[in-house]
Amino acid sequence: MVSEALDATGGETAALALKILVAGGFGVGKTTLVGAVSEIRPLRTEELLSEVGQLVDDTDGVDQKVTTTVAMDFGRITIRSGLSLYLFGTPGQDRFWFLWDELSQGALGAVVLADTRRLEDCFPAVDYFEHRHIPFVVAVNCFAGARTYGAQDVSRALDLDQGTPVVLCDARDRDSGKEVLIRLVEYAGRMHTARLLDSVG
């Protein structure tokens, strides 16, 4: 998405708006991250967890969670003058995955949030973006009381492609979330440039 904006000298410059997905397992902090960094009031589509849902939603390790995203979260953040990110948080449960294909259309890249207490929950998101060649970074949400692992340990455990960034973050903290998004934009930019060069080489 491109819109026009005025620069400091009064001339017109292209303002770039990029689409970013925030994905990961159930209860990993996707809604929290979008809400923490968004400069607008985030759109949320959360519903209370029900007894029926408990049969299919694994709440082990996230016992305090009482709501779940059933469509998407949406927020916006301006990274710098002329560059804004539109954030789309995906639902984490398998039964909502039919939405992922729609949400991923036109996305520059994705953040895969991970919880080291339930690391296996982010494997489906990693596989999804790898198979569709959508650049992504893994952001380890450092929950209180969880054992701390280094980026290299997480990368090996997830068997990530070489060069895929892994960053540690606090999804509740705006500055921490913004750093994750900056890393993603930089990485996705390099990946898209490399692919463009390959296509004309």
Side-chain angles (χ1 to χ4, degrees):
M1 285 174 231
V2 178
S3 60
E4 293 300 314
L6 291 177
D7 66 17
T9 62
E12 287 195 349
T13 60
L16 192 60
L18 304 173
K19 182 178 183 182
I20 301 295
L21 299 187
V22 180
F26 175 66
V28 78
K30 300 180 294 295
T31 298
T32 301
L33 177 65
V34 172
V37 301
S38 181
E39 62 199 16
I40 62 172
R41 183 177 180 181
L43 168 68
R44 293 185 171 132
T45 57
E46 290 197 304
E47 295 292 338
L48 290 172
L49 290 172
S50 65
E51 290 185 19
V52 174
Q54 289 177 355
L55 300 175
V56 291
D57 295 332
D58 180 11
T59 58
D60 185 38
V62 287
D63 305 335
Q64 305 302 314
K65 187 170 176 61
V66 296
T67 61
T68 185
T69 300
V70 295
M72 67 173 185
D73 299 311
F74 175 78
R76 185 189 72 213
I77 179 174
T78 301
I79 296 296
R80 58 171 170 75
S81 177
L83 176 60
S84 297
L85 305 182
Y86 290 159
L87 308 176
F88 292 81
T90 65
Q93 301 96 310
D94 296 3
R95 67 183 185 278
F96 295 123
W97 277 9
F98 66 92
L99 295 168
W100 285 38
D101 287 338
E102 289 295 326
L103 290 174
S104 65
Q105 290 295 320
L108 174 78
V111 173
V112 176
L113 269 179
D115 178 352
T116 57
R117 300 169 302 178
R118 298 158 51 108
L119 198 58
E120 67 280 359
D121 289 359
C122 71
F123 273 113
V126 168
D127 288 344
Y128 182 91
F129 297 122
E130 282 184 344
H131 287 124
R132 287 160 181 80
H133 306 289
I134 297 174
F136 68 94
V137 301
V138 173
V140 179
N141 193 5
C142 298
F143 287 91
R147 183 176 168 188
T148 302
Y149 294 89
Q152 286 293 93
D153 295 326
V154 173
S155 181
R156 280 194 296 272
L158 293 175
D159 193 26
L160 298 176
D161 290 341
Q162 187 174 7
T164 302
V166 176
V167 294
L168 307 182
C169 75
D170 181 343
R172 303 166 299 179
D173 182 76
R174 177 179 171 81
D175 289 338
S176 181
K178 186 174 180 179
E179 282 302 313
V180 170
L181 296 172
I182 290 170
R183 285 286 301 275
L184 171 62
V185 170
E186 291 172 345
Y187 175 64
R190 292 194 301 271
M191 293 293 289
H192 285 293
T193 299
R195 290 171 187 167
L196 182 62
L197 292 175
D198 285 345
S199 69
V200 296

